Amino acid sequence: MTRHPASRVALAALFASLCLHMSSASSQTPAAASASAASATNDPFLWLEDVQGDEALAWVRARNAESQKLLEARPDYPATRDRMLALLNSKDRIPQITRRGNDFYNLWQDEDHQRGLWRRTTLAEYRKPQPAWETVLDLDALATAEKENWVWAGANCLPTDTRRCLISLSRGGADAHVVREFDTVSKRFVDGGFTLAEAKSQVDWIDADTLYVGTDFGHGSLTDSGYVRVIKRWSRGTPLSAATTVFEGDVKDVASGTTVDLTPGHQRTMFSRSLDFYRNKHFLLQPAADGKSADKLVEFDVPADASVNFWNHAGNPVDTLLLRLRSDWVLPGRTYASGSLLAADATAYLAGKREFTVLFEPTPTRSLSAYSTTRDTVLVNAVGG
């Protein structure tokens, strides 16, 4: 199967560095620890930070060789390896699909397609024991043709015209990736289409000729964590340098993000600042009432550690706001417990009302594992009794 050397190197280097620092710090006095922190440039293991450097790669290969030698010495290794490979390459695996228009897309990997086939089929075919799949993009062939270690990093297709997709490809499975516009009818990358150089980018469609894009725009455009801080509006046929800024986070944030819903009658754009891994600030883009003035960004009043989703369901012109709480939420006259799933009329909520239907409330022995939505139903996955 496809390996991700860059990711392995980064994790191994980070783990080794942490272990070494923790070991040395535990034996130091506070004064010595402060002196050590102040002279970080004297760290003898700083070379591990260069995760693609020859020295770091050689160190990781040596550690991998040690681990492989220990594993292969086990009497059960050959049988276990063969069993795991058979499972990973099994043709009986259920293909995980994403619906785009009337087609169902899947990325399929096996011993003959280690990087993967991006393929599609119809619902009628998918229901068959052996569906007929149409290959849209062969990642192995692309990597060979372009002499690149391409690893699939996802596709973002325009909801109103699934012919247009933004495909992300990473080198060796790294976090950074390139973005290239792809035509799913001609099955070719679009000449002169939207492209982004290798970076930890985020893109979303506004319409067929316009994107929201967050990427490495140069000095100051990333957070201290190395992720997107600035999001811009980019029009087709113009250079990236001409894109206009629409949202900015803080350098101390983890990242900035955007979500665009183009569902007819339910169009909505939301921006976010990830303050850390659990807390976010959300902002709604409110179009000007006169259609001429500048759109406004309005901070969305929800608990920072709650997950937020808008549900556009069948036959109801009013969206439902779904909130999953991570901590207790105290409101006048009612406290909603951590772990609850709440539903509210989105329009009423944005107008200031705080009236909820409790879809799930935890007990001492039961908690919410996950939830999902269909056209008219919320499906709750609870664990415990």
Side-chain angles (χ1 to χ4, degrees):
M1 302 301 290
T2 303
R3 297 188 178 189
H4 298 173
S7 298
R8 288 203 312 270
V9 173
L11 288 172
L14 177 61
F15 180 74
S17 182
L18 284 173
C19 290
L20 289 165
H21 280 297
M22 290 173 67
S23 175
S24 61
S26 63
S27 60
Q28 290 178 336
T29 64
S34 297
S36 177
S39 59
T41 54
N42 296 324
D43 183 352
F45 303 105
L46 196 61
W47 52 273
L48 285 170
E49 298 284 344
D50 183 12
V51 297
Q52 295 289 354
D54 291 340
E55 192 175 6
L57 287 171
W59 182 89
V60 170
R61 292 188 185 104
R63 304 291 80 73
N64 287 345
E66 291 175 6
S67 299
Q68 187 169 346
K69 183 177 180 180
L70 290 171
L71 289 171
E72 291 179 345
R74 293 175 57 95
D76 60 345
Y77 174 81
T80 300
R81 181 181 183 278
D82 291 344
R83 186 171 67 254
M84 296 302 295
L85 268 179
L87 290 171
L88 290 170
N89 292 324
S90 172
K91 301 298 188 294
D92 296 331
R93 284 175 291 146
I94 298 175
Q96 300 298 308
I97 55 174
T98 300
R99 181 175 181 177
R100 294 185 170 96
N102 294 322
D103 294 316
F104 293 81
Y105 283 75
N106 162 257
L107 182 73
W108 180 261
Q109 294 172 285
D110 57 28
E111 69 274 23
D112 298 321
H113 309 96
Q114 295 189 22
R115 300 176 191 278
L117 293 176
W118 193 42
R119 58 187 193 170
R120 65 187 169 208
T121 192
T122 63
L123 178 59
E125 281 293 326
Y126 186 70
R127 286 172 168 163
K128 296 179 180 179
Q130 298 296 330
W133 292 93
E134 175 192 2
T135 298
V136 180
L137 180 62
D138 184 330
L139 271 295
D140 295 271
L142 179 69
T144 299
E146 298 186 349
K147 297 181 175 58
E148 290 280 7
N149 184 20
W150 288 135
V151 174
W152 181 258
N156 183 337
C157 299
L158 179 63
T160 56
D161 180 5
T162 56
R163 177 172 184 164
R164 301 171 180 270
C165 293
L166 299 169
I167 289 182
S168 296
L169 301 168
S170 77
R171 291 182 170 90
D175 284 348
H177 53 268
V178 301
V179 178
R180 298 159 67 179
E181 188 175 1
F182 188 84
D183 186 323
T184 61
V185 175
S186 66
K187 303 178 186 177
R188 298 172 57 87
F189 289 102
V190 177
D191 293 335
F194 288 114
T195 60
L196 288 174
E198 187 175 36
K200 298 175 184 178
S201 302
Q202 179 185 334
V203 290
D204 215 339
W205 294 94
I206 299 173
D207 56 43
D209 296 313
T210 321
L211 302 179
Y212 284 125
V213 55
T215 190
D216 186 352
F217 294 108
H219 178 71
S221 65
L222 302 178
T223 66
D224 288 345
S225 299
Y227 292 94
V228 169
R229 186 185 74 82
V230 177
I231 296 175
K232 299 187 178 186
R233 183 185 179 104
W234 186 21
S235 298
R236 184 181 298 279
T238 65
L240 183 62
S241 59
T244 57
T245 299
V246 293
F247 185 80
E248 294 187 58
D250 189 271
V251 294
K252 298 300 182 183
D253 295 343
V254 175
S256 297
T258 183
T259 302
V260 180
D261 189 344
L262 296 178
T263 304
H266 302 272
Q267 292 91 337
R268 179 183 294 105
T269 298
M270 180 179 284
F271 296 93
S272 63
R273 290 175 52 200
S274 296
L275 307 180
D276 51 39
F277 285 105
Y278 302 105
R279 298 181 306 119
N280 298 275
K281 283 190 175 183
H282 301 279
F283 303 82
L284 282 172
L285 186 66
Q286 293 190 343
D290 59 10
K292 299 179 181 179
S293 305
D295 297 340
K296 293 192 304 180
L297 272 177
V298 179
E299 186 170 352
F300 194 23
D301 181 24
V302 294
D305 59 354
S307 68
V308 180
N309 283 295
F310 287 93
W311 175 33
N312 311 328
H313 44 109
N316 191 340
V318 179
D319 296 338
T320 296
L321 174 67
L322 297 174
L323 295 176
R324 182 177 179 179
L325 303 182
R326 188 180 290 274
S327 57
D328 290 350
W329 191 16
V330 180
L331 291 173
R334 177 73 187 268
T335 296
Y336 295 96
S338 170
S340 296
L341 178 62
L342 311 179
D345 180 309
T347 302
Y349 187 94
L350 292 171
K353 292 186 178 179
R354 296 296 178 262
E355 299 175 356
F356 299 100
T357 298
V358 179
L359 302 183
F360 179 89
E361 189 169 28
T363 70
T365 59
R366 186 181 64 164
S367 62
L368 179 63
S369 175
Y371 75 91
S372 57
T373 59
T374 68
R375 286 181 300 178
D376 52 16
T377 305
V378 178
L379 305 175
V380 172
N381 182 0
V383 295

